[in-house]
């Protein structure tokens, strides 16, 4: 089965093609083709990059205006040119899309129909920078492959869809819940993959484990996972809630927002921009949302960079403690995504707060920034992992599951 994956965002699109033979749930295969469009490469320019598992590659730059044309050009390289890996578009059996928000309606991966497309469009107000890009990708595939090729929406919110009402409900007028205002959570595809990978590495059944997965990229969220299911997570109705992030504030006193709207003559759009684009590590440090630049500034004596780092670690520790409490204990903690995978000092500093629980980090294992390895000492009371998240592969597995079990 050839499964094409599209992960579309406002500034970039990533895509890959998996060729599966039977059940490969225990092995993460290398895509036979992978590609990317970067619409922020430079002002007015889109950069298209493609490579195959056999080493063929091409790169070109085009005017950034025609996004749909870029997607069609990129995907056409699957069966044309030097990066050709298929004989014909009909060789693609299914296409999987990461879709950020499924709302209350979609609690599982779903075959895309006109009804589903309409729902994705309607939910654009909850994820405006993402859903319009998702629809572009879906429509581009229809243009190239026709409407008979199955397309599957794999929702980032689906993994959290069944968290208990006490965790999902906000302490606001109950009528808001009836309007769909509740905690949805995000990064679900990553949380789901990492929890399964931790169970594999521990040689235990996922249904026997209590795991906290820490997805720490530019966007950050933690998930408490019991018996393979998310029971709580830090992001909420939107991806703005929760821990401090690269450019997002995370949770703040809502009274501050009311004050700014009333007293500072700030518009809703201006406040939205400040909370989503100018806050977090970037807002406090005044330097960057990139942890590498924050650490370089700390080394040069920047007090604001130090404060940004200390706040980031503290808020992670507090949220991690809350997730452990929700689980009633923890068997494993995993760190993933850009910072989670590549910042060993961050993993060590976060875990220091839990030494009282018997958590011990092996400094030599941790400093290598390894992928998919237990970085705790043999005597540690809790296993601690650095995991390379494989969201594309998780989407591919979801596509295979839906195709093989359409009624599930």
């Amino acid at each position: 089965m050839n499964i094409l994956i599209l992960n579309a965002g406002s500034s970039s699109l990533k895509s890959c093609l998996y060729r599966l033979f039977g059940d490969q749930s225990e092995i993460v295969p290398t895509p036979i083709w992978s590609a990317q469009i970067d619409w922020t490469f430079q002002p007015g320019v889109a950069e298209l990059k493609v490579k195959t598992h056999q080493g063929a590659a091409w790169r070109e730059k085009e005017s950034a205006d025609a996004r749909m044309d870029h997607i069609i050009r990129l995907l056409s390289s699957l069966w044309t040119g030097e990066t050709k890996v298929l004989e014909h578009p009909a060789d693609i059996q299914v296409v999987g899309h990461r879709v950020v928000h499924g709302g209350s309606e979609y609690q599982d991966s779903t075959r895309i129909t006109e009804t589903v497309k309409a729902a994705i469009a309607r939910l654009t107000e909850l994820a405006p920078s993402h859903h319009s890009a998702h629809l572009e990708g879906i429509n581009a595939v229809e243009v190239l492959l026709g409407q008979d090729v199955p397309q599957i929406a794999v929702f980032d919110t689906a993994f959290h869809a069944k968290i208990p009402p006490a965790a999902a409900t906000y302490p606001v007028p109950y009528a808001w819940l009836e309007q769909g205002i509740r905690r949805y959570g995000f990064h679900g595809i990553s949380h789901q993959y990492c929890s399964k990978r931790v169970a594999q590495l521990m040689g235990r059944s996922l249904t026997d484990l209590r795991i906290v997965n820490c997805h720490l990229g530019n966007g950050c969220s933690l998930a408490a996972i019991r018996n393979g299911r998310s029971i709580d997570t830090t992001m909420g109705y939107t991806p703005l809630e929760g821990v401090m992030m690269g450019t997002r504030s995370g949770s703040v006193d809502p009274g501050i927002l009311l004050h700014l709207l009333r007293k500072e003559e700030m518009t809703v759009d201006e406040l939205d921009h400040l909370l989503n684009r100018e806050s977090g590590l970037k807002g406090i440090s005044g330097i960057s949302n990139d942890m590498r630049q924050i650490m370089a500034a700390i080394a040069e004596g920047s007090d604001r960079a130090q404060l940004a780092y200390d706040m980031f670690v503290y808020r992670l520790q507090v949220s991690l403690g809350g997730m452990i409490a929700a689980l009633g204990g923890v068997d494993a903690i995993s760190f993933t995504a850009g910072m989670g995978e590549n910042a060993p000092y961050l993993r060590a500093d976060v875990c220091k707060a839990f030494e009282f629980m018997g958590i011990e980090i092996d400094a030599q294992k941790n400093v290598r920034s390894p992928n998919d390895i237990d970085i705790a000492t043999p005597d540690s009371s809790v296993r601690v992992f650095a995991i390379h998240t494989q969201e594309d592969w998780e989407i591919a597995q979801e596509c295979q599951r839906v195709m093989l079990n359409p009624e599930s």
Side-chain angles (χ1 to χ4, degrees):
M1 180 183 292
N2 290 320
I3 303 178
L4 177 64
I5 307 299
L6 268 72
N7 188 338
S10 60
S11 61
S12 67
L13 177 143
K14 296 179 181 179
S15 183
C16 65
L17 184 76
Y18 288 102
R19 179 167 291 160
L20 306 188
F21 302 94
D23 183 10
Q24 295 178 233
S25 59
E26 298 298 317
I27 302 171
V28 179
T30 300
I32 64 171
W33 175 96
S34 58
Q36 181 177 355
I37 305 173
D38 183 353
W39 283 289
T40 60
F41 174 70
Q42 64 186 66
V45 176
E47 182 185 48
L48 286 67
K49 296 188 293 185
V50 180
K51 63 179 180 180
T52 73
H53 67 305
Q54 295 180 333
W58 66 262
R59 176 185 299 187
E60 65 182 42
K61 301 172 187 176
E62 298 184 1
S63 170
D65 295 333
R67 288 172 59 107
M68 180 73 79
D69 291 344
H70 299 153
I71 299 171
I72 291 173
R73 171 80 177 96
L74 191 81
L75 298 182
S76 296
S77 72
L78 280 160
W79 53 84
T80 60
E82 60 262 42
T83 58
K84 172 182 174 179
V85 294
L86 302 174
E87 291 301 319
H88 190 273
D91 293 333
I92 297 173
Q93 277 78 49
V94 59
V95 182
H97 298 264
R98 172 185 173 240
V99 179
V100 167
H101 214 307
S104 300
E105 298 158 84
Y106 297 102
Q107 300 186 0
D108 201 353
S109 300
T110 303
R111 182 161 177 172
I112 295 171
T113 62
E114 289 302 314
T115 300
V116 173
K117 285 174 63 176
I120 294 171
R122 187 172 64 254
L123 291 165
T124 296
E125 64 179 1
L126 300 182
S129 63
H130 290 89
H131 273 218
S132 56
H134 300 331
L135 289 169
E136 281 181 339
I138 292 167
N139 291 331
V141 170
E142 288 184 353
V143 169
L144 270 175
L145 306 182
Q147 296 193 349
D148 292 335
V149 175
Q151 297 195 68
I152 309 297
V154 182
F155 297 98
D156 243 343
T157 52
F159 185 59
H160 307 296
K162 296 181 180 179
I163 61 176
T169 307
Y170 288 108
V172 293
Y174 189 81
W176 293 16
L177 177 64
E178 295 173 326
Q179 296 169 24
I181 296 176
R182 49 154 288 173
R183 181 179 306 283
Y184 288 102
F186 300 89
H187 295 140
I189 299 168
S190 175
H191 289 306
Q192 180 171 302
Y193 170 81
C194 290
S195 64
K196 293 195 295 188
R197 185 63 179 135
V198 165
Q200 289 175 356
L201 293 170
M202 293 180 71
R204 294 179 58 181
S205 171
L206 183 57
T207 58
D208 295 333
L209 293 172
R210 297 165 300 177
I211 300 168
V212 179
N213 187 55
C214 306
H215 181 105
L216 307 179
N218 187 51
C220 302
S221 71
L222 279 59
I225 302 162
R226 179 193 293 140
N227 304 330
R229 292 180 175 272
S230 173
I231 65 161
D232 201 1
T233 187
T234 54
M235 283 181 169
Y237 182 66
T238 74
L240 184 57
E241 187 183 3
V243 298
M244 181 177 176
M245 306 179 216
T247 63
R248 298 178 204 153
S249 63
S251 297
V252 297
D253 179 353
I256 298 171
L257 313 183
L258 295 174
H259 167 78
L260 292 172
L261 290 171
R262 285 173 176 158
K263 301 294 185 183
E264 301 297 326
E265 297 184 353
M266 186 176 293
T267 68
V268 172
D269 288 342
E270 288 171 340
L271 184 57
D272 184 309
H273 177 77
L274 289 174
L275 292 171
N276 277 292
R277 303 293 183 185
E278 302 295 336
S279 296
L281 288 170
K282 180 182 178 183
I284 297 298
S285 72
I287 296 167
S288 175
N289 63 315
D290 190 317
M291 184 61 79
R292 293 165 295 186
Q293 295 184 36
I294 299 290
M295 298 309 291
I298 290 173
E300 295 174 359
S302 169
D303 291 338
R304 284 182 60 178
Q306 185 67 62
L307 176 61
Y309 180 77
D310 291 345
M311 288 175 61
F312 188 72
V313 170
Y314 174 73
R315 288 173 176 242
L316 283 174
Q317 290 170 332
V318 171
S319 294
L320 179 54
M323 293 294 109
I324 292 172
L327 289 168
V330 65
D331 301 300
I333 298 168
S334 50
F335 293 89
T336 193
M339 287 184 281
E341 295 176 32
N342 299 303
Y345 51 86
L346 177 61
R347 295 192 295 260
D349 287 345
V350 170
C351 288
K352 281 179 183 176
F354 302 94
E355 290 177 350
F356 76 95
M357 291 175 50
I359 294 178
E360 298 180 6
I361 299 298
D362 185 315
Q364 290 186 332
K365 288 183 179 179
N366 183 45
V367 77
R368 301 185 212 128
S369 287
N371 289 329
D372 295 8
I373 190 170
D374 186 346
I375 59 173
T377 67
D379 294 332
S380 178
S381 61
V382 176
R383 308 324 304 163
V384 182
F385 293 89
I387 301 291
H388 174 52
T389 190
Q390 304 259 28
E391 292 172 288
D392 289 342
W393 173 234
E394 190 64 27
I395 294 170
Q397 290 187 95
E398 283 293 294
C399 289
Q400 187 177 40
R401 180 182 65 82
V402 171
M403 293 300 293
L404 295 176
N405 303 282
E407 302 302 322
S408 65

